[in-house]
């Protein structure tokens, strides 16, 4: 059973546009929600993360919006650049140990 | 900071042989490391949780006798794929969580591409 659902599976955005990726979770025990960026043939890199006591977190062009009541969170990439083209994974961590549950991933392509 | 390395980055082996993959946390100590497997265009699948000084915890469906994990120190975990078969060909990625508090972030290694011929 997939506990973190991610959408869309793929996304094409024009350079300078906003990329939006959404995730929904079921387990209310999750207490930490990171986003990872992965380039082909590389390991995932931690991009930005949020905890459920905060509704929004911004780091540079990347913003996480978190809706605890709806059990949803999203990644917004402002002023998207071709170099942002990668696969993005949302994840959630339970409060027992540090094990992460990953979403299915979103392949983002930013067209010049 | 928070760099995780893996060795080798890619390996080709013959069916029936064993392959060892190393995962090292370079600038922090990690009581817990994780091993993932990733097929092309798919998400990461957790295989096992590796705890320093104790036995690894394997996810359901992962053969512990086939995927041997040893977490011998606070900076090194190894995954040995025993009697490898072509279906074991995949991208193996480790991650590590810094010990002693912090936010529990997981930092990933660059991955190891295993091809079994």
């Amino acid at each position: 059973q997939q506990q973190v659902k991610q959408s869309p599976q793929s996304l094409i955005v024009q350079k300078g546009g906003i990329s939006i990726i959404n995730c929904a979770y079921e387990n209310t025990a999750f207490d930490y929600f990171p986003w990872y960026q992965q380039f082909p043939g590389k390991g995932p890199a931690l991009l930005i993360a949020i905890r459920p006591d905060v509704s929004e977190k911004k780091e540079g062009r990347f913003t996480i919006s978190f809706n605890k009541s709806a059990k949803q969170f999203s990644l917004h990439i402002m002023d998207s650049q071709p170099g942002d083209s990668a696969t993005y994974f949302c994840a959630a961590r339970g409060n027992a140990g540090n094990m992460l549950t990953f979403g299915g991933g979103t392949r983002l392509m930013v067209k010049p | 900071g928070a760099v995780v390395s893996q060795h080798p980055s890619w390996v080709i082996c013959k069916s029936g042989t064993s392959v060892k993959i190393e995962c090292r946390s370079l600038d922090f100590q990690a009581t817990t490391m994780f091993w993932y497997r990733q097929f092309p265009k798919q998400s990461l699948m957790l295989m096992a949780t590796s705890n320093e000084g104790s036995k690894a915890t394997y996810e359901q469906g992962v053969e512990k006798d086939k995927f041997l994990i040893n977490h011998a120190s606070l900076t090194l975990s190894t995954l040995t794929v025993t009697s490898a078969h072509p279906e074991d060909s995949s991208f193996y990625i480790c991650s590590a969580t810094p010990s002693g508090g912090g936010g529990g972030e997981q930092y990933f290694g660059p991955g190891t591409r295993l091809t079994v011929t």
Side-chain angles (χ1 to χ4, degrees), chain A:
Chain A
Q1 179 182 4
Q2 184 183 8
Q3 297 188 47
V4 179
K5 294 184 179 180
Q6 184 171 344
S7 63
Q9 287 186 324
S10 62
L11 180 63
I12 300 174
V13 174
Q14 289 295 129
K15 179 182 177 181
I18 303 174
S19 304
I20 302 175
I21 304 170
N22 301 298
C23 283
Y25 63 96
E26 300 168 4
N27 188 348
T28 55
F30 288 145
D31 66 351
Y32 171 73
F33 303 87
W35 284 89
Y36 287 88
Q37 178 189 58
Q38 185 180 30
F39 292 104
K42 304 295 183 183
L46 180 61
L47 198 59
I48 187 173
I50 198 168
R51 300 187 188 280
D53 55 345
V54 177
S55 62
E56 184 176 282
K57 183 175 182 179
K58 182 177 181 180
E59 290 184 1
R61 296 185 294 110
F62 302 93
T63 300
I64 299 179
S65 296
F66 186 83
N67 186 329
K68 187 175 182 178
S69 60
K71 292 186 285 186
Q72 295 175 348
F73 58 110
S74 61
L75 175 70
H76 295 230
I77 305 175
M78 312 298 288
D79 187 26
S80 298
Q81 299 297 311
D84 296 331
S85 297
T87 299
Y88 293 81
F89 293 97
C90 64
R93 185 192 70 185
N95 54 13
N98 288 314
M99 189 175 71
L100 291 175
T101 299
F102 280 87
T106 297
R107 299 184 76 185
L108 170 66
M109 178 184 295
V110 181
K111 288 192 170 181

